[in-house]
Amino acid sequence: MAKQYWLGDFYVDLSRNQITQNTKVQTLAPKALAVLTCLAESHGQVVSQDRLLSQVWPDTVVSPNTLQRSIAQLRKALGDDGKGQSFIKTHAKQGYSLECEVKWQDHTSNSHNKNELPNQEGLKTGEKSTKASAVRTVFVVVAILVFGLWGFSYQKPQPSAGLTFDALHLLTATDDKEFDPTYSPDGQYIVFHRYLGTLCKDRIWAKHIDSQQEIQLTKDWGSYGSHDFSPDGKKLVFFATQACDAPVTQKDCYDLVTLDFEQALHSPQQPNIILQCKQSKVVKPKWISDDHIVMFQKQSERWKLIKYSISDNLSTDLYNPTEGGLIDFAFSPQKHLFAVTRIHSDNQQYIEMLDLDGKLLSSHTIKRPPEVLEHRRIRPNFDPMNDQLIFSTGRQMFTLSYQGEVTKINLPFDDRMIQPVFHPDGDRLLLIKGPYDSDIVKLPLNELQNQNPPSETYESFERSTLGEDYAIFQPGGSLMAFWSERSGEQQLWISDGNTLTMLTDFPTDSFIRGIDWAADGQSLLVNANGVLNKIDLDGKRTIFPMPYAVWQLFQWDSENNTALLEVFDKGVSQYLEYDLNHSTSKSIADTAIKWAAKTADGRLIYKDKLDRFWQPGAVEPEKILDLDHQGDRANSFVIKGHVIYAINSQHQLWSYDLNTRLFTVLGQVREEVDYLTDVSESHVLLGVRMSAKKEVVELTVGK
């Protein structure tokens, strides 16, 4: 079959997945062009849907909606609005026909210059010289050798044109928080999660794009994970998390549930449980066929891709590499491909392409430009119209090729946006926009003890409309250190209550996870962008080189220059006490933990993922039984001397003396308090949630 042909004045080049008219070049999905070619081979005749599906998607179960999306993409590329149907005509209940003249280009003819299009009568057929034939022969031999040495059967896609965006539209301008937006397969609805108060209770909603009508889909409040549509667009699948009565290895159960989307559009529905998971964490289901769902499963701090059969009620490993760790995955129903971001044993992030059976098609290091910080975890989604992916780092968006090339997208705005998801037609995409507004509250301890219930409002310390966190008192001084986004990026700040000073100048889309003072109060250790930075009060910065990314700084012992850390090494979390002078480390726990700190006399205390407190024992760690059910409020806790301070799920601030085993409730805090960050002899510092407005927006791809 010829690889190039003409449809009127449109030149179709299958070798490049392109349609060209004059100088306008459009790159289309290979499957869409395969549909066009199938119609072109029988132009003027009706080709049934069954024939198109079997010819373009052989040995694959797909729905008619998939074919309809390809037809819509073709009509858009050909400038056919679907009403006049001057190119592709729909025959009700029969199929489609191509209603224009087709001129095939002889594949034995000379190739045209890549900057020129051949005329519609074909290439010049003048006499071919022996020299030209010899050159072509050599070229063919070299090409065969190159492809013979290529290790994969997967054909490398052609580079795609860069993306531009020209318009931004608000879709859910409410006071609520929306997350996980997607389009329905037919592109008529957006579906999203709307949260109540904190990010633990939500309902799933739909919104009709044309009428703007919002529809509640789930009947009750729940804790629902990200959703995905069935291939026919009639059902949703997602995880519903519930508290277990007697957890074995985790605190939550994960029920895989489905929801009848068509029925829910008329009245809210109760999800139907199809699978219960109690021994591992399972997230992000993707419906790849009528009977199969692929999802992430976590066991022993390592993720793998599994495929679940609904009819057999059986799961099998789809992709479970023995080295490194998986970060995220995306699935393209148009291309029948998985894209996986993964950390290898060299601690570099890779982009890997898999087929439907989990076979590795390609693996390439992600080549980061300076704007993408070294330890940023990349979570891309597919661009349905081009052989590339897209991801966001917050204020910036990038395309990612299948070969790991990263290109920055020039955006007409400077807002933080996450979770980019394309419309099936590829002409627009959804994102989540909006800041998380948290404040720092400094309260006298006696005020907490004397107020039950707590006061109706808290006065913020250094109020802003963006995020503040990790506030800690200066040892022996009057300063307080914290991070703030008030400058547009997370930076380290200090304040004495009157003067506010920014100590750092970290780059765009920086993230800070952990701050601690030196014992003398003259410097701080900051975990910024996965790197430990010592920051002096005069702004001098010292970086501690490490062989892996730091995920969380728990505590810094400046006198011995050691730090308690969670690190991400070869794709797996480890919990270490790290010697910053000698670059050596030792494990502090053989299980996953949320927080760790040492007492003044060096005893290690940590809280595990089940919110249980542990301390060293003679042979193995011992659980602190007095603190059962007291660690449910937040990840962190504070140790002063030999006393633990934290907030529980009843919003009570408590203390526990490890020497006397005395447990004391110090007072009640408001529900919007996220957690305790520090304690002094007279005051406490609290992280308080002011607002967490998130809304769904839509970006239009530029023409």
Side-chain angles (χ1 to χ4, degrees):
M1 183 186 72
K3 292 291 185 182
Q4 294 87 19
Y5 55 93
W6 287 89
L7 304 178
D9 60 350
F10 287 92
Y11 178 69
V12 181
D13 187 349
L14 300 180
S15 66
R16 290 185 170 88
N17 297 325
Q18 290 177 347
I19 293 180
T20 304
Q21 183 187 38
N22 297 326
T23 59
K24 181 182 179 182
V25 179
Q26 302 178 73
T27 302
L28 270 69
K31 292 295 184 183
L33 287 176
V35 171
L36 181 62
T37 303
C38 187
L39 293 173
E41 290 172 337
S42 302
H43 70 280
Q45 303 176 25
V46 178
V47 182
S48 69
Q49 287 192 12
D50 290 341
R51 178 182 163 190
L52 288 168
L53 290 170
S54 62
Q55 187 165 330
V56 178
W57 291 274
D59 304 319
T60 304
V61 178
V62 296
S63 71
N65 285 342
T66 303
L67 174 59
Q68 292 165 10
R69 287 196 296 271
S70 293
I71 294 293
Q73 292 168 12
L74 293 170
R75 283 175 169 157
K76 180 180 178 182
L78 296 169
D80 193 343
D81 62 6
K83 296 179 181 179
Q85 298 190 357
S86 56
F87 283 90
I88 300 175
K89 184 176 181 180
T90 300
H91 300 267
K93 299 183 179 180
Q94 296 183 55
Y96 303 91
S97 64
L98 190 64
E99 299 295 318
C100 65
E101 184 180 2
V102 179
K103 291 187 178 182
W104 299 93
Q105 181 175 311
D106 184 0
H107 68 278
T108 62
S109 300
N110 291 329
S111 297
H112 63 275
N113 187 295
K114 67 179 182 179
N115 294 320
E116 297 178 359
L117 290 179
N119 59 50
Q120 295 192 34
E121 302 303 321
L123 297 173
K124 293 182 179 180
T125 58
E127 183 177 355
K128 301 175 178 61
S129 68
T130 303
K131 181 178 179 181
S133 298
V135 170
R136 285 196 301 275
T137 302
V138 172
F139 175 79
V140 170
V141 171
V142 171
I144 292 173
L145 288 173
V146 170
F147 280 92
L149 293 172
W150 194 14
F152 295 109
S153 59
Y154 174 58
Q155 185 177 356
K156 179 178 177 180
Q158 294 293 323
S160 301
L163 288 173
T164 58
F165 297 97
D166 58 11
L168 177 68
H169 308 282
L170 299 180
L171 297 183
T172 59
T174 70
D175 289 328
D176 297 308
K177 296 178 289 295
E178 285 89 23
F179 276 94
D180 297 317
T182 62
Y183 291 100
S184 60
D186 60 10
Q188 295 184 20
Y189 293 89
I190 64 167
V191 178
F192 56 91
H193 296 234
R194 177 167 284 158
Y195 284 85
L196 173 67
T198 60
L199 296 180
C200 62
K201 287 185 178 181
D202 68 299
R203 288 189 176 115
I204 301 179
W205 288 71
K207 186 167 188 172
H208 194 275
I209 293 176
D210 291 336
S211 69
Q212 296 293 295
Q213 178 189 7
E214 288 194 354
I215 305 158
Q216 181 183 319
L217 301 180
T218 51
K219 186 176 181 180
D220 300 324
W221 290 104
S223 183
Y224 303 130
S226 61
H227 61 270
D228 193 47
F229 273 93
S230 59
D232 60 9
K234 294 181 179 180
K235 292 183 178 180
L236 293 171
V237 64
F238 48 93
F239 280 101
T241 306
Q242 302 173 356
C244 296
D245 293 330
V248 178
T249 60
Q250 63 181 51
K251 190 175 180 180
D252 296 320
C253 293
Y254 296 83
D255 294 339
L256 184 66
V257 302
T258 60
L259 188 77
D260 191 309
F261 180 64
E262 292 185 331
Q263 290 186 16
L265 289 175
H266 299 286
S267 64
Q269 300 292 306
Q270 190 70 24
N272 175 48
I273 298 175
I274 61 174
L275 176 68
Q276 289 187 314
C277 304
K278 296 185 178 180
Q279 302 301 316
S280 61
K281 185 175 183 178
V282 190
V283 298
K284 200 172 183 179
K286 294 292 180 183
W287 219 320
I288 65 170
S289 71
D290 291 338
D291 188 52
H292 289 96
I293 297 169
V294 170
M295 43 199 163
F296 252 163
Q297 183 181 38
K298 189 176 187 181
Q299 290 181 320
S300 302
E301 292 301 296
R302 190 185 296 272
W303 292 100
K304 63 180 179 179
L305 270 179
I306 63 172
K307 182 164 68 174
Y308 171 69
S309 170
I310 300 173
S311 60
D312 296 334
N313 192 29
L314 182 68
S315 67
T316 56
D317 286 357
L318 184 74
Y319 189 51
N320 186 19
T322 57
E323 292 185 350
L326 306 184
I327 297 173
D328 199 11
F329 82 99
F331 174 66
S332 171
Q334 295 92 351
K335 299 175 173 66
H336 302 284
L337 288 174
F338 293 99
V340 175
T341 47
R342 174 184 165 202
I343 294 183
H344 280 213
S345 56
D346 60 2
N347 271 321
Q348 298 296 310
Q349 285 192 46
Y350 285 66
I351 178 68
E352 300 185 334
M353 308 305 297
L354 314 175
D355 66 14
L356 287 175
D357 296 320
K359 178 184 177 182
L360 181 64
L361 301 174
S362 65
S363 179
H364 296 277
T365 306
I366 296 176
K367 304 169 186 65
R368 300 167 181 262
E371 296 93 336
V372 182
L373 300 174
E374 180 183 3
H375 298 302
R376 168 73 66 175
R377 298 183 186 182
I378 294 175
R379 304 180 184 276
N381 278 314
F382 276 95
D383 175 351
M385 301 303 292
N386 301 291
D387 289 321
Q388 62 186 13
L389 303 112
I390 188 171
F391 67 93
S392 167
T393 58
R395 296 184 186 276
Q396 304 173 100
M397 281 206 300
F398 303 84
T399 59
L400 172 63
S401 76
Y402 298 172
Q403 292 76 44
E405 302 290 342
V406 177
T407 303
K408 185 177 179 181
I409 300 172
N410 292 321
L411 299 174
F413 50 80
D414 188 32
D415 292 318
R416 180 172 284 109
M417 299 192 188
I418 58 174
Q419 298 182 344
V421 177
F422 269 97
H423 187 278
D425 291 343
D427 59 352
R428 56 204 137 131
L429 74 163
L430 299 174
L431 298 107
I432 293 295
K433 173 182 176 290
Y436 184 84
D437 182 5
S438 60
D439 269 11
I440 297 162
V441 170
K442 178 182 176 182
L443 291 178
L445 269 171
N446 57 10
E447 181 177 319
L448 283 176
Q449 294 167 343
N450 297 331
Q451 289 188 0
N452 191 12
S455 61
E456 294 185 1
T457 59
Y458 289 146
E459 183 178 351
S460 298
F461 186 95
E462 301 291 0
R463 167 70 181 148
S464 80
T465 58
L466 296 173
E468 271 88 23
D469 212 340
Y470 289 124
I472 46 177
F473 293 113
Q474 180 189 30
S478 60
L479 297 176
M480 185 180 71
F482 58 99
W483 70 251
S484 173
E485 294 180 321
R486 63 184 62 218
S487 66
E489 303 297 334
Q490 289 188 12
Q491 305 291 351
L492 176 64
W493 295 73
I494 55 172
S495 173
D496 61 3
N498 296 308
T499 304
L500 186 63
T501 304
M502 186 175 78
L503 290 183
T504 59
D505 187 21
F506 296 127
T508 301
D509 291 335
S510 288
F511 53 95
I512 294 175
R513 292 193 176 96
I515 300 170
D516 204 4
W517 281 99
D520 62 5
Q522 298 305 301
S523 61
L524 296 115
L525 189 66
V526 183
N527 173 28
N529 307 313
V531 177
L532 293 181
N533 302 258
K534 180 186 173 188
I535 309 294
D536 296 338
L537 292 183
D538 60 4
K540 180 183 176 182
R541 177 183 175 192
T542 304
I543 297 176
F544 293 101
M546 302 187 72
Y548 28 63
V550 179
W551 184 250
Q552 182 70 58
L553 165 64
F554 300 125
Q555 189 182 52
W556 179 35
D557 177 357
S558 61
E559 294 180 343
N560 295 306
N561 207 19
T562 60
L564 300 181
L565 309 170
E566 178 185 358
V567 303
F568 204 56
D569 184 23
K570 300 179 179 63
V572 179
S573 288
Q574 295 187 27
Y575 306 92
L576 308 174
E577 182 175 17
Y578 194 88
D579 189 320
L580 298 171
N581 291 329
H582 303 97
S583 299
T584 58
S585 64
K586 62 180 180 180
S587 176
I588 60 174
D590 58 3
T591 186
I593 66 175
K594 286 186 173 181
W595 199 263
K598 283 189 173 184
T599 62
D601 57 7
R603 285 176 286 175
L604 175 70
I605 306 296
Y606 65 84
K607 186 169 72 166
D608 66 15
K609 296 294 185 180
L610 299 180
D611 293 313
R612 300 173 301 187
F613 287 85
W614 298 80
Q615 63 181 338
V619 178
E620 59 185 7
E622 297 177 351
K623 186 168 70 167
I624 305 176
L625 298 176
D626 296 335
L627 297 182
D628 274 359
H629 310 298
Q630 298 298 331
D632 294 341
R633 183 59 182 166
N635 289 348
S636 63
F637 58 87
V638 175
I639 293 182
K640 294 294 180 179
H642 48 78
V643 180
I644 304 174
Y645 297 86
I647 297 173
N648 61 25
S649 58
Q650 287 76 46
H651 316 300
Q652 295 171 327
L653 172 67
W654 55 262
S655 67
Y656 180 75
D657 191 312
L658 288 163
N659 292 344
T660 64
R661 297 183 57 182
L662 176 64
F663 177 86
T664 306
V665 174
L666 299 177
Q668 197 82 14
V669 298
R670 292 184 54 77
E671 185 176 351
E672 61 266 27
V673 172
D674 281 334
Y675 45 82
L676 170 75
T677 61
D678 205 2
V679 177
S680 70
E681 293 182 357
S682 58
H683 288 78
V684 296
L685 293 175
L686 306 172
V688 178
R689 181 179 62 258
M690 304 301 291
S691 70
K693 180 180 177 181
K694 301 287 183 181
E695 55 196 13
V696 182
V697 299
E698 187 176 60
L699 267 181
T700 304
V701 177
K703 302 299 182 182

